[in-house]
Amino acid sequence: MADVLPMGEEYEGFCRDESRTQGTASSISFPTTEDEVRALMRRMAAAGTPVTVQGARTGLAAGAVPRGGHVMSLSRMDRVLGMRADRDAEGRARYYVRAQPGVVLANLRKYLADKSMPTAGWDEGDRRAWEELCAGPAQIFPTDPTETSACLGGIVACNASGARSYAYGPARPHITALRVVLADGDTLALRRGEVCARGRRLDLETERGRRYELALPAYRMPRAKNASGYYAADDMDAIDLFIGSDGTLGIVTEIELALTPAPPVVWGASCFFEAEGPALDFVEAARPELPCALAFEYFDGSALKILRRQKAAGSGFASLPDVGPRAQACVYVELGCPDEEAALAALERLGALLAQNGGDERETWVARTDVDRERLRFFRHAVPESVNMLIDERRRTDPGITKLGSDMAVPDGRLHEVMALYRRTLAEAGLESATWGHIGDNHLHVNVLPRSAAEHARGKELFCGWAAEVTRMGGAVSAEHGVGKLKRDFLEIMYGAEHVRQMARLKLALDPQGLLGRGNLFSEQILDEERGHLQKGEKRGAGAVAGAGEKGAAMGGDGADGEVA
Ligand SMILES: Cc1cc2nc3c(=O)[nH]c(=O)nc-3n(C[C@H](O)[C@H](O)[C@H](O)COP(=O)(O)OP(=O)(O)OC[C@H]3O[C@@H](n4cnc5c(N)ncnc54)[C@H](O)[C@@H]3O)c2cc1C
């Protein structure tokens, strides 16, 4: 079994993620195989020790930040295990990669781009599929959560998205199979299309033959991009319950993901505007007119100002391109086309749309080569990095300050309305902010930049108000970062208290002691209360859970908190 190490100073970084939230833990492990994960979970379950699973800790909702107990870092489960190919009705090949959860996205991309997959230990069939892939057109895993040091397990657990989810959707549709270790060390093998709910009732069977009869929450999910709480829909696929479950239902130990042919020609254009309104008009006009668009990304005037300042300060940002002094908004459009002729036509159309919507073609940066595109990518990544640096600077004078970043999305047709809401309420509250994100999906990260703890508190209040308004517009309170620990209140605003309790009961059916992902999605109070009701055998209405199988009821353990024995 993997060692269970005391949480010494050398592991201090494992108590934080990119949300800059600080947690505590008493021990840590670095398993390398699923068997080790199972053995660790059996040990933790016997001791009643909470377990926080971690990938690369790039999450922004504090999902990987421990609330006591044990940290299980899967960063050393980093092998690509194999691949397979199948063919559709027209004979086109489709490729699927099987990987451990600690595989870093940047590495997977490199293996695919350079055709340099580490295939040692693969069987004959897997190697043949890889050779076939190498002989054909380039393939990609299209999920693109900006931070390429993220791990595949974290990407699955958050149902991550990113810029290109405008064209390809979030991670979910690209995940075809999962292996999951449950809180008691038992395993589920889930393949898309094999196990589906009947209405809102889902029956699962573990590899040891234990059966769970789960009542899925009764809410309707929004029509907008969404990573808020458990996926729940009539007749849904069982695999979708675990994708986006924020480390609360089970530990993903193996992932099969479907690859997609890379678009042959990818060009990018950064379009600058002198005001926000025309930039929004441009996006709304361009979406239906540019069917080959892979992404529409946005940066507001404050984000551009922060970038200019960082560039002037030198440091690692000196190589950023110069942003003109009049630019108050930037929309980055990525085009994926079958050939250069189509790309040129799309670029021409884009120029016309710019002219019609107050942009200036001469102020547009076009990236046609890998080097140019990499520069634009660096530019996009530099925005959140610069804001994080600014917040770190302010924390030195007031440690109560942290960044407040929103992750809300609204359906098409609500973009102007939601932006007007953000602008009006920020001005009323007198708060500084910087906004960027995936405007193609009506999904913007509004970052409040507090100068004091009081402003931080005002910003939090503002976010709660936005959560209510975004819900009213049919949107989602978390569109891609997951709920983790930081957006729990918003989840209740979005779905209501009873639906959150239905989620909690679903979790308790699979994890009766509430060990996994403590503090994610639900407060401990809600979990404790629901556990109390279940232990008393009270009927709890929709969402209540019946566990069945060799050992009888799904409830087990005494629910006590404990540390590693
Ligand atoms: C600069 C920056 C930009 C970003 N931009 C985007 C973006 O555009 N789109 C986007 O979607 N995200 C974005 N993110 C957030 C982040 O990169 C993603 O959420 C990513 O999916 C997290 O992966 P991770 O491996 O770091 O997970 P972690 O942070 O380690 O964990 C995240 C959650 O997943 C759970 N988890 C991790 N591994 C497993 C596992 N194997 N089994 C079960 N649960 C697990 C954890 O318990 C936790 O709840 C950004 C982050 C940064 C720092």
Side-chain angles (χ1 to χ4, degrees):
M1 188 174 80
D3 289 338
V4 174
L5 306 160
M7 198 74 186
E9 253 176 44
E10 66 272 42
Y11 301 119
E12 211 225 322
F14 290 84
C15 288
R16 282 192 299 275
D17 70 1
E18 282 291 333
S19 70
R20 310 292 212 258
T21 308
Q22 181 69 41
T24 58
S26 52
S27 64
I28 186 165
S29 61
F30 297 90
T32 56
T33 64
E34 182 183 286
D35 279 349
E36 289 184 348
V37 173
R38 296 178 57 191
L40 282 163
M41 271 325 296
R42 281 198 295 269
R43 174 170 169 181
M44 297 302 154
T49 303
V51 175
T52 302
V53 187
Q54 294 183 343
R57 287 176 288 113
T58 69
L60 296 170
V65 177
R67 278 273 166 85
H70 181 75
V71 166
M72 194 185 293
S73 168
L74 302 189
S75 54
R76 295 185 195 164
M77 289 182 74
D78 59 356
R79 282 183 306 127
V80 180
L81 300 167
M83 75 178 313
R84 68 181 175 90
D86 65 17
R87 293 196 175 270
D88 65 16
E90 276 103 54
R92 278 184 303 248
R94 188 96 208 259
Y95 299 98
Y96 304 84
V97 170
R98 210 156 36 82
Q100 287 188 306
V103 169
V104 170
L105 179 62
N107 290 345
L108 178 66
R109 285 196 178 160
K110 191 169 159 31
Y111 301 150
L112 291 170
D114 303 350
K115 303 200 165 160
S116 62
M117 189 72 77
T119 56
W122 286 20
D123 71 22
E124 202 38 48
D126 292 27
R127 277 174 201 262
R128 255 203 317 277
W130 173 243
E131 279 157 22
E132 193 189 306
L133 179 151
C134 290
Q139 300 281 322
I140 53 169
F141 173 55
T143 304
D144 176 29
T146 316
E147 181 54 67
T148 58
S149 61
C151 290
L152 296 182
I155 287 172
V156 171
C158 296
N159 187 29
S161 292
R164 286 189 174 185
S165 64
Y166 173 75
Y168 295 107
R172 183 181 302 284
H174 308 285
I175 308 300
T176 47
L178 291 180
R179 287 188 61 79
V180 179
V181 172
L182 297 175
D184 63 359
D186 204 350
T187 43
L188 287 170
L190 301 165
R191 178 161 292 284
R192 192 171 285 287
E194 283 184 355
V195 180
C196 289
R198 280 167 288 114
R200 297 280 169 137
R201 186 143 208 108
L202 176 64
D203 295 346
L204 287 179
E205 187 165 341
T206 68
E207 291 191 309
R208 286 211 321 247
R210 186 181 173 98
R211 281 178 292 114
Y212 291 91
E213 294 165 16
L214 305 174
L216 300 169
Y219 47 77
R220 273 162 168 264
M221 292 184 295
R223 282 179 295 114
K225 186 174 169 185
N226 179 30
S228 323
Y230 298 144
Y231 186 97
D234 289 351
D235 307 328
M236 63 180 268
D237 198 300
I239 199 171
D240 285 326
L241 180 60
F242 292 86
I243 299 170
S245 64
D246 253 331
T248 59
L249 296 181
I251 303 172
V252 174
T253 48
E254 197 176 300
I255 299 153
E256 185 189 80
L257 46 90
L259 301 178
T260 301
V265 176
V266 177
W267 287 0
S270 294
C271 315
F272 293 93
F273 299 83
E274 289 182 23
E276 186 160 83
L280 303 188
D281 292 339
F282 166 72
V283 170
E284 295 213 308
R287 282 189 298 209
E289 294 281 323
L290 294 174
C292 61
L294 299 176
F296 287 92
E297 294 286 289
Y298 183 64
F299 307 93
D300 78 347
S302 310
L304 296 178
K305 196 163 134 198
I306 292 169
L307 268 183
R308 283 192 201 98
R309 214 165 46 215
Q310 291 293 358
K311 182 176 160 69
S315 66
F317 298 106
S319 63
L320 281 174
D322 279 321
V323 177
R326 293 206 312 275
Q328 286 301 321
C330 170
V331 177
Y332 170 74
V333 187
E334 195 163 75
L335 304 166
C337 300
D339 50 45
E340 292 214 348
E341 203 180 320
L344 268 174
L347 205 58
E348 227 167 85
R349 185 75 202 109
L350 187 145
L353 288 160
L354 267 177
Q356 286 157 19
N357 290 282
D360 185 346
E361 220 181 325
R362 285 162 309 176
E363 292 290 317
T364 300
W365 304 339
V366 176
R368 290 190 173 87
T369 64
D370 282 351
V371 174
D372 288 348
R373 259 199 320 278
E374 198 38 52
R375 254 158 71 85
L376 290 197
R377 190 179 173 82
F378 177 57
F379 173 82
R380 286 194 286 137
H381 199 257
V383 174
E385 290 276 309
S386 305
V387 167
N388 283 344
M389 284 160 72
L390 183 81
I391 295 291
D392 287 345
E393 225 172 273
R394 290 184 181 174
R395 271 166 78 91
R396 273 180 229 126
T397 47
D398 187 341
I401 294 175
T402 51
K403 185 178 80 173
L404 283 168
S406 79
D407 182 33
M408 303 182 195
V410 291
D412 283 350
R414 299 284 195 169
L415 181 59
H416 276 82
E417 188 181 348
V418 82
M419 283 306 268
L421 167 78
Y422 295 150
R423 294 304 172 210
R424 178 176 53 76
T425 50
L426 281 164
E428 282 166 6
L431 292 169
E432 194 187 340
S433 69
T435 300
W436 63 83
H438 317 302
I439 199 163
D441 291 318
N442 313 302
H443 170 208
L444 289 154
H445 302 300
V446 184
N447 287 262
V448 169
L449 312 175
R451 285 161 289 218
S452 65
E455 284 200 355
H456 186 262
R458 273 217 303 285
K460 270 177 132 172
E461 260 173 51
L462 207 59
F463 277 29
C464 284
W466 293 350
E469 285 298 305
V470 161
T471 301
R472 185 188 57 73
M473 292 180 209
V477 294
S478 172
E480 66 180 6
H481 296 159
V483 169
K485 296 175 183 68
L486 300 186
K487 299 179 201 275
R488 281 188 333 215
D489 293 349
F490 305 160
L491 192 63
E492 191 156 326
I493 291 170
M494 179 171 156
Y495 282 134
E498 173 48 26
H499 284 145
V500 170
R501 283 179 183 267
Q502 289 177 10
M503 282 187 239
R505 295 199 282 275
L506 175 55
K507 175 196 169 51
L508 288 170
L510 292 165
D511 176 13
Q513 296 189 76
L515 297 180
L516 287 173
R518 169 163 294 229
N520 288 357
L521 300 187
F522 326 101
S523 67
E524 279 154 50
Q525 188 191 343
I526 288 182
L527 272 190
D528 287 345
E529 283 171 13
E530 288 304 322
R531 190 166 37 226
H533 294 308
L534 288 169
Q535 276 168 341
K536 282 191 222 139
E538 287 172 21
K539 200 161 168 44
R540 299 288 293 153
V545 165
E550 21 162 44
K551 293 179 195 141
M555 280 298 296
D558 61 9
D561 249 0
E563 297 307 330
V564 181

mmCIF file of all heavy atoms in Angstrom, residues 28 74 146 176 194 202 227 327 402 514 527:
data_model
loop_
_atom_site.group_PDB
_atom_site.id
_atom_site.type_symbol
_atom_site.label_atom_id
_atom_site.label_comp_id
_atom_site.label_asym_id
_atom_site.label_seq_id
_atom_site.Cartn_x
_atom_site.Cartn_y
_atom_site.Cartn_z
ATOM 1 N N ILE A 28 -0.877 12.569 4.261
ATOM 2 C CA ILE A 28 -0.928 12.648 2.789
ATOM 3 C C ILE A 28 -0.403 11.341 2.204
ATOM 4 O O ILE A 28 0.450 10.676 2.812
ATOM 5 C CB ILE A 28 -0.104 13.868 2.284
ATOM 6 C CG1 ILE A 28 -0.259 14.061 0.772
ATOM 7 C CG2 ILE A 28 1.384 13.753 2.650
ATOM 8 C CD1 ILE A 28 0.202 15.423 0.267
ATOM 9 N N LEU A 74 -3.208 12.347 -6.468
ATOM 10 C CA LEU A 74 -3.120 11.359 -7.549
ATOM 11 C C LEU A 74 -2.099 11.779 -8.599
ATOM 12 O O LEU A 74 -2.066 11.245 -9.696
ATOM 13 C CB LEU A 74 -4.497 11.154 -8.182
ATOM 14 C CG LEU A 74 -5.596 10.691 -7.223
ATOM 15 C CD1 LEU A 74 -6.850 10.312 -7.980
ATOM 16 C CD2 LEU A 74 -5.155 9.507 -6.379
ATOM 17 N N THR A 146 -7.450 26.346 -20.090
ATOM 18 C CA THR A 146 -6.434 27.419 -20.009
ATOM 19 C C THR A 146 -5.179 26.986 -19.263
ATOM 20 O O THR A 146 -4.072 27.123 -19.768
ATOM 21 C CB THR A 146 -7.006 28.704 -19.342
ATOM 22 O OG1 THR A 146 -8.295 28.952 -19.880
ATOM 23 C CG2 THR A 146 -6.121 29.908 -19.600
ATOM 24 N N THR A 176 -15.673 8.683 -22.215
ATOM 25 C CA THR A 176 -16.456 7.513 -22.626
ATOM 26 C C THR A 176 -16.463 6.401 -21.578
ATOM 27 O O THR A 176 -17.314 5.520 -21.625
ATOM 28 C CB THR A 176 -15.935 6.955 -23.962
ATOM 29 O OG1 THR A 176 -14.506 6.854 -23.886
ATOM 30 C CG2 THR A 176 -16.304 7.862 -25.110
ATOM 31 N N GLU A 194 -23.859 2.081 -21.210
ATOM 32 C CA GLU A 194 -24.137 0.752 -20.643
ATOM 33 C C GLU A 194 -25.126 0.775 -19.482
ATOM 34 O O GLU A 194 -25.928 -0.134 -19.338
ATOM 35 C CB GLU A 194 -22.826 0.090 -20.179
ATOM 36 C CG GLU A 194 -22.029 -0.451 -21.354
ATOM 37 C CD GLU A 194 -20.780 -1.207 -20.942
ATOM 38 O OE1 GLU A 194 -20.452 -1.252 -19.740
ATOM 39 O OE2 GLU A 194 -20.120 -1.727 -21.861
ATOM 40 N N LEU A 202 -31.633 5.395 -10.433
ATOM 41 C CA LEU A 202 -30.424 4.831 -11.038
ATOM 42 C C LEU A 202 -29.937 3.640 -10.209
ATOM 43 O O LEU A 202 -29.675 3.775 -9.013
ATOM 44 C CB LEU A 202 -29.325 5.912 -11.085
ATOM 45 C CG LEU A 202 -27.962 5.463 -11.609
ATOM 46 C CD1 LEU A 202 -28.041 5.037 -13.071
ATOM 47 C CD2 LEU A 202 -26.936 6.591 -11.456
ATOM 48 N N ALA A 227 -21.669 23.721 -14.451
ATOM 49 C CA ALA A 227 -20.892 22.749 -13.670
ATOM 50 C C ALA A 227 -21.279 22.898 -12.200
ATOM 51 O O ALA A 227 -20.439 22.849 -11.314
ATOM 52 C CB ALA A 227 -19.401 22.975 -13.866
ATOM 53 N N ALA A 327 -7.738 50.997 -26.439
ATOM 54 C CA ALA A 327 -8.506 49.745 -26.363
ATOM 55 C C ALA A 327 -9.158 49.589 -24.989
ATOM 56 O O ALA A 327 -8.491 49.676 -23.964
ATOM 57 C CB ALA A 327 -7.585 48.558 -26.634
ATOM 58 N N THR A 402 -8.875 38.135 -0.512
ATOM 59 C CA THR A 402 -8.609 37.120 -1.535
ATOM 60 C C THR A 402 -9.354 37.535 -2.797
ATOM 61 O O THR A 402 -10.272 38.358 -2.737
ATOM 62 C CB THR A 402 -9.117 35.706 -1.132
ATOM 63 O OG1 THR A 402 -10.473 35.837 -0.721
ATOM 64 C CG2 THR A 402 -8.282 35.091 -0.038
ATOM 65 N N GLY A 514 -19.651 10.292 4.717
ATOM 66 C CA GLY A 514 -19.342 11.637 4.208
ATOM 67 C C GLY A 514 -17.850 11.909 4.203
ATOM 68 O O GLY A 514 -17.401 13.004 4.544
ATOM 69 N N LEU A 527 -24.868 17.646 5.762
ATOM 70 C CA LEU A 527 -24.565 16.213 5.672
ATOM 71 C C LEU A 527 -24.893 15.509 6.983
ATOM 72 O O LEU A 527 -25.468 14.423 6.986
ATOM 73 C CB LEU A 527 -23.090 16.007 5.345
ATOM 74 C CG LEU A 527 -22.685 15.990 3.873
ATOM 75 C CD1 LEU A 527 -21.248 15.541 3.740
ATOM 76 C CD2 LEU A 527 -23.591 15.103 3.023
#
